[in-house]
Amino acid sequence: MNGPLFAAAAPQPGPLRVLLLGATGTIGRATARALLRQGHEVVCLLRPVAGAGAGAAPNPPAELTGATLRFGDVRDPSAVARDGLRGEHFDALVSCLASRTGVPADAWAIDHAAHQHALAAAQAAGVRQMVLLSAICVQKPRLAFQQAKLAFERELVASGLTYSIVRPTAFFKSLSGQVQRVKSGKPFLVFGDGRLTACKPISDDDLGDYIAGCLTDTARQGRVLPIGGPGPAITPREQGEALFAMLGRQPRFKQVPVAMMDGIVGVLGTLGRVLPPLAAKAELARIGRYYGTESMLVWDEAAQRYDADATPSTGTQTLFEHYAQLLRGDVQTERGEHAVF
Ligand SMILES: NC(=O)c1ccc[n+]([C@@H]2O[C@H](COP(=O)([O-])OP(=O)(O)OC[C@H]3O[C@@H](n4cnc5c(N)ncnc54)[C@H](OP(=O)(O)O)[C@@H]3O)[C@@H](O)[C@H]2O)c1
């Protein structure tokens, strides 16, 4: 006998019990909605709100209705075990936690160290799976927050847990900062001629669904997953042209030379060596410069170019539908980190 001819059908995964970190963020909220829609039991560990007292938050986001809310400081190495997991059974840890500033100390404290503590707590508690929201830009790391994210990605891969590392392209909020200025009659600002970069924008809900789907789709496990939204890659110039077309106006662009940004980075970098507050500003300028000149698409190392065709797509919602909703006032944009303009 060589064993059974037919493998037993894989068991259908039932609802999972999930600890979600970063649930108050843009993608954290979308992921919470998706996890709940997909029938999972969701426990969120939220940052304690100053003055609210232990275990209470004045205004947890409405999207978290249906999830269990717990409170703890993820910078405290024992918080995830004590305040989040509490010795209970969990199937998976899902993290959309990220530094809100991207400056080096915060990035290393949150994107790296807090995740390290959470992973150790999850492993000690017998949690078998982790889904991590990362970013496509870590493939070409130049910035402190990218190094911090990459360092934790490597630790997760080496941990032995079933992992999914989701590296999305640009979020809608990071590409919507100019909608109101253009609506009010101002030109659309671009770096260079507006064709230096491209991305495949992904909506919050499409990304939330994708992240939640990693729990049960084995094809998304044990992998690093670059992911964009539907449709072709678009440049900043095309974003501006679409906006003007929706408003029925002639396109008007104001070009910001990359050399000017380099000058700002250089001056702030030099001054930041003696004046610490300017060091943080220099890092923010470096982040702006990076997003003004690097595409959010899969990088082909051999060809030394970004490859839109190699960047997978998911979901149905497009940036231009989102622009139309913003112009009608149906939705409001939340200014994102990494919004260059
Ligand atoms: N913007 C883009 O276009 C883009 C593209 C690709 C990837 N990404 C990556 O996606 C990730 C998430 O983005 P997002 O826009 O959803 O982030 P976000 O809205 O800034 O949310 C960050 C989350 O982390 C939590 N957090 C931050 N610092 C904390 C701290 N010190 N203690 C406890 N919790 C803390 C926040 O909690 P509070 O609400 O309590 O602050 C929030 O829940 C980031 O890693 C980013 O690099 C972004």
Side-chain angles (χ1 to χ4, degrees):
M1 269 303 265
N2 289 327
L5 283 176
F6 300 103
Q12 283 302 307
L16 301 176
R17 191 150 194 264
V18 179
L19 182 70
L20 176 62
L21 305 181
T24 50
T26 306
I27 304 305
R29 296 194 310 272
T31 300
R33 293 194 292 270
L35 288 167
L36 291 166
R37 256 195 322 271
Q38 293 177 21
H40 300 299
E41 185 185 340
V42 182
V43 177
C44 305
L45 182 64
L46 307 183
R47 192 199 307 239
V49 179
N59 287 312
E63 289 104 316
L64 301 185
T65 304
T68 301
L69 306 187
R70 295 178 179 172
F71 298 87
D73 183 352
V74 289
R75 293 167 306 175
D76 171 353
S78 50
V80 170
R82 185 187 57 233
D83 306 320
L85 299 166
R86 294 190 186 169
E88 299 164 6
H89 170 80
F90 281 87
D91 299 293
L93 176 65
V94 175
S95 181
C96 299
L97 184 70
S99 154
R100 279 203 178 267
T101 62
V103 300
D106 196 31
W108 282 101
I110 301 300
D111 296 76
H112 182 253
H115 276 127
Q116 217 177 22
H117 304 322
L119 176 62
Q123 280 181 301
V127 176
R128 297 161 75 126
Q129 184 175 9
M130 178 166 185
V131 182
L132 175 72
L133 169 60
S134 183
I136 200 166
C137 59
V138 306
Q139 68 189 336
K140 218 177 164 193
R142 301 276 186 276
L143 303 165
F145 86 85
Q146 295 165 338
Q147 300 291 356
K149 280 181 191 299
L150 259 186
F152 179 69
E153 282 194 4
R154 289 193 200 103
E155 289 166 31
L156 175 57
V157 169
S159 70
L161 259 68
T162 297
Y163 68 86
S164 304
I165 295 171
V166 179
R167 289 183 178 174
T169 71
F171 301 165
F172 285 8
K173 69 175 177 182
S174 300
L175 304 170
S176 303
Q178 298 197 64
V179 172
Q180 291 313 322
R181 64 171 273 129
V182 168
K183 193 178 175 185
S184 70
K186 296 191 177 127
F188 191 91
L189 300 172
V190 288
F191 272 114
D193 67 355
R195 297 186 183 92
L196 299 178
T197 66
C199 64
K200 283 186 163 183
I202 186 164
S203 80
D204 304 348
D205 280 325
D206 284 339
L207 181 54
D209 277 335
Y210 186 83
I211 291 170
C214 292
L215 290 175
T216 49
D217 182 349
T218 52
R220 295 184 200 167
Q221 295 168 4
R223 294 187 58 195
V224 172
L225 302 154
I227 192 74
I234 48 180
T235 63
R237 190 156 198 106
E238 288 164 331
Q239 291 160 31
E241 284 166 352
L243 261 181
F244 285 108
M246 285 176 207
L247 289 162
R249 297 189 198 145
Q250 280 301 315
R252 268 201 320 132
F253 291 94
K254 183 162 183 197
Q255 303 195 357
V256 179
V258 175
M260 189 177 105
M261 200 67 190
D262 286 339
I264 295 171
V265 169
V267 170
L268 288 173
T270 308
L271 293 175
R273 286 193 209 112
V274 279
L275 297 168
L278 292 185
K281 287 208 165 44
E283 184 67 8
L284 297 180
R286 275 191 284 274
I287 292 173
R289 203 256 182 223
Y290 185 97
Y291 288 106
T293 52
E294 301 286 344
S295 289
M296 297 298 111
L297 298 171
V298 166
W299 173 249
D300 180 337
E301 185 65 35
Q304 289 289 297
R305 66 175 182 89
Y306 286 102
D307 187 343
D309 294 334
T311 309
S313 291
T314 188
T316 57
Q317 298 173 342
T318 69
L319 180 69
F320 296 158
E321 286 160 9
H322 182 68
Y323 280 175
Q325 290 171 333
L326 285 169
L327 289 172
R328 287 196 303 267
D330 295 349
V331 293
Q332 304 247 304
T333 206
E334 175 188 354
R335 264 324 283 274
E337 103 278 30
H338 310 159
V340 178
F341 296 117

